[in-house]
Amino acid sequence: MMKELALHVLDIAENSVRGEASHIGITITEDRRNNRFAMEIDDDGKGISPEILNTIKDPFTTTRTMRKVGLGIPFLDDTCRLCNGHLDLKSTVGLGTRLSAEMEYDHIDRPPLGDMAATLMVLMSSHPDIAFTYRHIVDDVEFSEPSEFEISSGDLEDILDGVPLTTPKVYKWVKTYLEENIRQCETGGTGA
Ligand SMILES: Nc1ncnc2c1ncn2[C@@H]1O[C@H](COP(=O)(O)OP(=O)(O)O)[C@@H](O)[C@H]1O
Ligand SMILES: [Mg+2]
C-alpha cells in the first residue's frame, strides 16, 4: 500500500510530465471545517483521448510501454472511494488535464498527506523546465480564517537568483523553507 498521499501526488504529476506539460498546478485543500480533503493536479499538456479517458480507472489502462499495467489513477480512485470520496478527471486533447481527488478528512482509511515538501523537491529538481505552482489551503474551526501557502517555480527562481535548485546547500534550504511554510499553514499560521 502507498502510505502517503504525497506519493500519489508525485505519481499523478509524473503523468503530467509525460503528457508534455509546461505548467503543472498542485493544490491541496484541507477543509477540516467540512471534513473534506482534496488534491488537485492540473496541467497544460497534451491531454487524454476520450478512449483512454473512458477506461482510465481500469488498472489495465496505460499508454506506457515500460510497465504492463497502469496503477496510478485506479489506485488513487480506490483510495478515494474507500474514504467516502471520489476521483474526477477532466481532459481535453491539446489543452490539458485536471485531476481532482476528494476524501473524507477524518476517515480512518485516509492515508496521511505525508512529505509534500519532498514530493515538490523531487518534481522541481528533476524537471527544471516545467513551471510548478503549489497551493496549500487549510481551514479549521480553530482558525479565524483559512490559512494559505502558495509558491511557484518562478518565485523560487527569483529567490535563488540563478543558483540551481540541485546545489546541495540550496536544495536543503528550499526543502526546509517548504516544510516550514507547509507546517505553518497546517497549524493556522498566517505565513511569512
Ligand atoms: N496528465 C496526463 N496527461 C496526458 N496523459 C495522461 C495524463 N494522466 C494520465 N494519462 C494517460 O493515462 C494513462 C494511465 O495513467 P495511470 O493510471 O497513471 O497509469 P500509467 O501512468 O502507469 O500509465 C497514461 O498511460 C497516460 O496515457
Ligand atoms: Mg501514472
Side-chain angles (χ1 to χ4, degrees), residues 11 15 18 72:
D11 186 63
N15 283 346
R18 281 195 301 277

Side-chain angles (χ1 to χ4, degrees), residues 166-177:
T166 45
T167 311
K169 265 191 181 158
V170 166
Y171 192 95
K172 201 157 177 281
W173 184 87
V174 174
K175 179 143 196 291
T176 304
Y177 174 84

Side-chain angles (χ1 to χ4, degrees), residues 42-116:
D42 64 85
D43 70 57
D44 60 354
K46 64 184 179 188
I48 306 172
S49 71
E51 300 79 63
I52 295 284
L53 202 56
N54 273 333
T55 59
I56 207 152
K57 290 180 181 177
D58 173 336
F60 297 100
T61 298
T62 181
T63 55
R64 296 221 282 162
T65 50
M66 298 290 284
R67 194 174 68 197
K68 279 201 180 69
V69 293
L71 276 179
I73 293 170
F75 188 17
L76 182 56
D77 181 49
D78 284 348
T79 303
C80 289
R81 284 192 286 171
L82 187 65
C83 301
N84 290 333
H86 66 276
L87 184 147
D88 182 56
L89 192 57
K90 289 195 168 57
S91 188
T92 308
V93 172
L95 281 182
T97 302
R98 176 184 300 262
L99 178 146
S100 66
E102 232 188 86
M103 295 163 220
E104 220 168 70
Y105 186 85
D106 69 0
H107 198 284
I108 186 100
D109 294 310
R110 185 177 69 78
L113 176 58
D115 198 346
M116 260 318 299

